Structure formats: structure tokens, C-alpha cells
Amino acid sequence: MPLCAVLVVLLSGCAAASEPLSTTAEVTSPAPSPTQTPTPEADPLTLVDGLVARPEALDLRVAGATVVSLPYMSDPATAITAMTTVFGAPPVDEPYDGGNHRPDGVYHRWDGFVLDERFYDEERRQSEGLDWLVWPRFAVYFDAPAADGVVLSAENGTQAGDPWADASARSTFDPDIWTCTGTSIEAATIEVPTQRPDRVNVVITRSDDEQSVRWVGAPEMEADGCA
């Protein structure tokens, strides 16, 4: 082999050997984990499927469990806001004039459910010690067995439209408790001023033909006479 060719081969080999080897490995970044957006919890009031009239408060229930209880002496505005959430719409309001035995007020109606806001004299209430069960800040009436899909009943299951015979056969039905409006179907004994009847009630009234329950309402105080 000619000397020049040998030199070319040797120089080529040296050049090839002098090329550095790549030591850099390809790094694959891990895929980012998907971020889960927390699901906001539903307001329990939007899930209410039953309203139960009790002697001292209105119970808002989901699948039979009470999620909110609204005492009849609590702020009517709070109750109206709660019911607006339950029904998903504001009420139809009907102001009315009072008389000798009751103040002016407003009926707030959602279908077959009525919240009766009463404008009693708060100064007189405090000065005369008038108990809330005598002068509740609001009352409720069930004019139908349901309102916009929400079941309306008393604790013992009585509903507007029930046969009167069925309602009167229930164990808590008590016509011996005297009230000025309706017949007691649930009573609660409460502390009241001396010499005053001490039971507050859920009551029902008869339909015009006296064959069925016209409405369920609360609270209605036991009375020793009605003017």
C-alpha cells in the first residue's frame, strides 16, 4: 500500500476515534396528574322534600330527616328566605288588614303552602310579657297535600284533603283541647304566664261538607274562651 494511502487511513481512524460519544439520555417528563375540581355541596334546603307542621316550629325535612327547624317566634324574613330556597322562587304575597283579635299581616303563598307573617306590636309584647305562642311572629297553613312537589303534613301524617274519619281516628287527635280555630292533632305543653292554658297545637279544620280536612295549621294556642 502506498505510504500516502496508509497515512490517509490512519488519520481517518484517528478522526473517527476522536468524536465524543453522546452520554445525554432523553428525559421524558411525567404527564401531569389531572386536577379534580371539587364538586360544591348542594344547599340542603334545595333538597327538602317534606314540610312538617309541629306545635312549636316548622320542620324542613329531607328523606324524613329534619335539616332545618323554623320556630314560629323566629324572624319571618329568615323563614321566607328559607322557603324561597326550598321552592326555588319567591312567594305570591297577599297583605291583609287585621281586626280586634289579630294584627295586620301578609300571606306569603307558594302553591298549597302559606306562611302567615303577623305584625304584632313588639313593644306591647315585651311590656305585657305576651308569650310567642300567644302572639307568634308567623304561622303556617297547608291548603293541599303538597306544594310544588314538596309533601305537606303534620307529624302524625295528616294532610289537607284526608277523609275526616281517617284524621279523627289517629291517636293524637284531641277534640277536648279547646282552640279558637280547628281541632288539635298534636299538642305540646309549654311554659306560659300564670292562669293561662299551657298547650300549643297543630290543628285541622273541616271542609264545607265536613267530610274531609280543609287545611292543617300551626301554631294555635289552647284557649279558655274565644270572643
Side-chain angles (χ1 to χ4, degrees), residues 12-20:
S12 298
C14 293
S18 65
E19 291 180 2

Side-chain angles (χ1 to χ4, degrees), residues 129-207:
L130 293 167
D131 191 89
W132 69 266
L133 295 170
V134 180
W135 280 12
R137 291 195 171 96
F138 70 90
V140 296
Y141 303 102
F142 299 163
D143 292 338
D148 291 334
V150 178
V151 176
L152 310 175
S153 71
E155 182 66 34
N156 70 1
T158 301
Q159 296 178 283
D162 281 356
W164 188 265
D166 292 349
S168 61
R170 294 186 170 107
S171 60
T172 57
F173 182 89
D174 192 347
D176 293 332
I177 297 178
W178 182 262
T179 71
C180 295
T181 304
T183 303
S184 175
I185 59 171
E186 183 183 0
T189 301
I190 49 104
E191 184 176 346
V192 296
T194 306
Q195 297 181 346
R196 185 176 290 178
D198 64 354
R199 286 178 290 187
V200 63
N201 303 269
V202 178
V203 298
I204 56 175
T205 61
R206 288 179 183 263
S207 59

